[in-house]
Amino acid sequence: GRGIAAREERRRAEQEGIIFTTLASHTHHNRTTRGHSTRGMGPAVSALAFPAPGLDEDFYLEGLLKRPDLVYLTTSRGEKIPAVYINRESQYTILYSHGNAEDLGLILPDIDWLAQETGCNVLAYDYVGYSISRLRERRSPSEAGCIRSIDAAWTYLTTTASVSANNIVIIGRSIGSGPATDLASRHTESAGLVLISPITSGAWAIFGRGASRAFYALDIFRNYEKIGQVTAPIGIVHGTVDVVVPVICGKHL
């Protein structure tokens, strides 16, 4: 029953993202014509980027918190975030950043499938302000928090788990393409970067390409700036009828 409820929560959050995208585009047009184009855009971008599921702790007690491969990571600011490390004793390890409208507790079947189908180790982590971080530490999500989270995951792999950096494949889906691209641009020794339905930037995905320039200071996850700094092999997967993140974002990257 709770699994069905969780899937419904995920579907609802994704639907809200679709509706928000449509409304945001319309609102941007109206405000531009009135000369108030910057008002409200920052919160709008954040609302689309970080719709963390509002599940209660009982959901995680029945799933995520029972996992024997559950580990806790600590960010540079002392924030505690959960992660799942599926160790198959493989040469390669996938570092996975999930999309919006989901959290680590909701994607457990996905990462189990990913480990099984690829034969790779998988470390999937949650962002500051999601799941256990939201419930127990009352954290709120942000771009900086996502970057601190993936840095903590990288540190765990390369130190605690003793995984060689050149054996780590970085994968990011949707909003997860932000921290994934940022990490790959700084750690060019990684084995590769795979982006699934990536955003070019927060503003670009919502308002279009021009907005990423006009509202540069308010924009988040400017992947279009960082992708050129990635020297590892890059793979991009994007559905042509994606109604949340336009396919033009993936094509541009």
Side-chain angles (χ1 to χ4, degrees):
R2 293 198 60 80
I4 295 174
R7 287 194 293 273
E8 177 60 22
E9 169 76 13
R10 181 175 178 177
R11 184 204 63 78
R12 179 192 61 76
E14 289 175 343
Q15 185 64 27
E16 287 179 355
I18 294 170
I19 295 170
F20 177 83
T21 303
T22 303
L23 293 176
S25 298
H26 177 70
T27 302
H28 170 65
H29 172 75
N30 289 343
R31 286 175 177 164
T32 299
T33 57
R34 295 173 187 171
H36 299 291
S37 58
T38 61
R39 183 178 300 171
M41 190 188 128
V45 172
S46 293
L48 175 62
F50 307 114
L55 297 165
D56 59 35
E57 188 159 351
D58 286 343
F59 170 75
Y60 303 104
L61 286 171
E62 294 176 9
L64 175 62
L65 296 179
K66 285 186 175 180
R67 298 273 303 208
D69 47 10
L70 174 67
V71 297
Y72 285 94
L73 313 178
T74 304
T75 73
S76 59
R77 290 193 177 181
E79 301 140 321
K80 302 292 184 182
I81 55 172
V84 168
Y85 182 42
I86 304 172
N87 187 357
R88 300 175 60 92
E89 302 296 334
S90 173
Q91 176 182 354
Y92 290 100
T93 298
I94 293 170
L95 174 51
Y96 184 79
S97 300
H98 66 71
N100 59 350
E102 60 191 16
D103 61 26
L104 185 58
L106 285 169
I107 65 166
L108 295 176
D110 301 333
I111 61 175
D112 285 336
W113 176 88
L114 184 62
Q116 180 178 344
E117 293 300 312
T118 63
C120 295
N121 312 319
V122 176
L123 176 67
Y125 68 99
D126 232 341
Y127 309 128
V128 170
Y130 280 67
S131 71
I132 305 305
S133 172
R134 172 181 61 85
L135 290 167
R136 294 185 176 177
E137 295 194 344
R138 306 299 180 187
R139 306 287 187 180
S140 297
S142 66
E143 178 184 19
C146 289
I147 301 302
R148 292 195 299 273
S149 300
I150 198 170
D151 281 347
W154 177 270
T155 298
Y156 175 85
L157 284 179
T158 56
T159 57
T160 304
S162 299
V163 177
S164 297
N166 58 10
N167 286 333
I168 299 175
V169 179
I170 303 167
I171 299 181
R173 190 178 86 83
S174 185
I175 197 67
S177 65
T181 302
D182 182 87
L183 182 73
S185 71
R186 293 181 286 115
H187 290 280
T188 56
E189 71 274 27
S190 64
L193 172 67
V194 178
L195 302 177
I196 305 169
S197 302
I199 60 173
T200 34
S201 77
W204 190 327
I206 301 173
F207 300 108
R209 183 174 185 174
S212 63
R213 298 174 181 173
F215 311 115
Y216 184 85
L218 297 175
D219 204 0
I220 62 173
F221 293 128
R222 294 190 287 267
N223 290 338
Y224 66 90
E225 287 186 336
K226 301 174 183 178
I227 194 74
Q229 301 169 34
V230 178
T231 58
I234 301 172
I236 297 177
V237 181
H238 208 129
T240 57
V241 292
D242 193 326
V243 294
V244 177
V245 180
V247 67
I248 190 64
C249 291
K251 288 182 175 180
H252 180 83
L253 294 175

